[in-house]
Amino acid sequence: MLDKKVVELLNQQVNKEFYSAYLYLDFSNYYYDHGLDGFGNWYKIQAQEERDHALLFVQYLQNNGERVVLEAIEKPGVELSSPKAVLAEGLKHEQYVTSLIHNIYAAAQEIKDFRTMQFLDWFVKEQCEEETNADGLVKKFELFGDDPRSLYMLDSELGARVYSAPSLVL
């Protein structure tokens, strides 16, 4: 049986991960609407990853006999003003998600909930990767985004991304 506070935070994270999927789908739509299909593909796959992250939290709660509480998913309220601004919002959002994971980890650590800490270890590592990728996109766009040929190449690179499901064993 998990601690009540930890269960509450894990349930909140389920909903935050679904929101992340919704947000990234909005980003994907923005890029498709602006003819940047590679960027659209990259964020569509990112949305799939976030959905799967939510399902990993669901499975963890279920495996521990806890009730999963789904809430309404808020409409993304991010201003999508330019391709570069969307990337910056993506980085900002990943940093926010990292802080959420750290908060859950801290709550589990405080009560010596080693099982939840071990479960969260994968997400801590994953968030490092997510922030690195988001930061890399911002930097690449800053370097190449103003040059049409370079932007085309970057868009093609992002269009080659394929989905691979997370490999976390619960």
Side-chain angles (χ1 to χ4, degrees), residues 106-159:
Q109 188 175 38
E110 186 178 315
I111 59 167
K112 296 184 170 126
D113 179 353
F114 300 112
R115 182 184 327 171
T116 299
M117 290 165 56
Q118 183 180 23
F119 167 70
L120 291 172
D121 283 341
W122 183 87
F123 287 95
V124 170
K125 183 178 177 183
E126 175 71 5
Q127 280 310 119
C128 180
E129 180 183 315
E130 297 285 11
E131 284 189 37
T132 299
N133 289 340
D135 185 54
L137 283 176
V138 170
K139 287 177 179 170
K140 284 181 180 181
F141 196 90
E142 288 172 348
L143 284 171
F144 306 120
D146 290 333
D147 176 51
R149 281 181 255 165
S150 296
L151 181 59
Y152 176 81
M153 289 175 56
L154 180 56
D155 190 58
S156 296
E157 175 187 323
L158 298 178

Side-chain angles (χ1 to χ4, degrees), residues 10-154:
L10 290 167
N11 266 304
Q12 287 173 6
Q13 193 62 31
V14 168
N15 290 285
K16 295 292 186 182
E17 296 290 343
F18 279 128
Y19 172 80
S20 295
Y22 201 46
L23 177 67
Y24 291 151
L25 187 56
D26 197 33
F27 288 6
S28 175
N29 291 336
Y30 172 86
Y31 285 117
Y32 280 115
D33 289 346
H34 287 82
L36 292 168
D37 293 359
F39 283 82
N41 175 68
W42 198 91
Y43 272 108
K44 184 169 42 175
I45 290 172
Q46 198 64 23
Q48 291 173 307
E49 278 192 12
E50 301 304 336
R51 180 206 60 216
D52 282 352
H53 293 171
L55 294 175
L56 288 170
F57 280 98
V58 166
Q59 184 178 357
Y60 181 75
L61 286 163
Q62 291 170 338
N63 287 351
N64 285 280
E66 298 295 342
R67 183 171 176 267
V68 176
V69 180
L70 297 177
E71 302 289 340
I73 306 301
E74 184 180 340
K75 179 182 177 179
V78 177
E79 178 67 32
L80 306 179
S81 59
S82 72
K84 181 180 173 183
V86 174
L87 295 176
E89 287 295 333
L91 174 58
K92 184 175 153 184
H93 185 72
E94 287 301 338
Q95 292 166 336
Y96 169 68
V97 172
T98 298
S99 74
L100 296 172
I101 298 295
H102 289 176
N103 288 340
I104 304 168
Y105 199 100
Q109 188 175 38
E110 186 178 315
I111 59 167
K112 296 184 170 126
D113 179 353
F114 300 112
R115 182 184 327 171
T116 299
M117 290 165 56
Q118 183 180 23
F119 167 70
L120 291 172
D121 283 341
W122 183 87
F123 287 95
V124 170
K125 183 178 177 183
E126 175 71 5
Q127 280 310 119
C128 180
E129 180 183 315
E130 297 285 11
E131 284 189 37
T132 299
N133 289 340
D135 185 54
L137 283 176
V138 170
K139 287 177 179 170
K140 284 181 180 181
F141 196 90
E142 288 172 348
L143 284 171
F144 306 120
D146 290 333
D147 176 51
R149 281 181 255 165
S150 296
L151 181 59
Y152 176 81
M153 289 175 56
L154 180 56

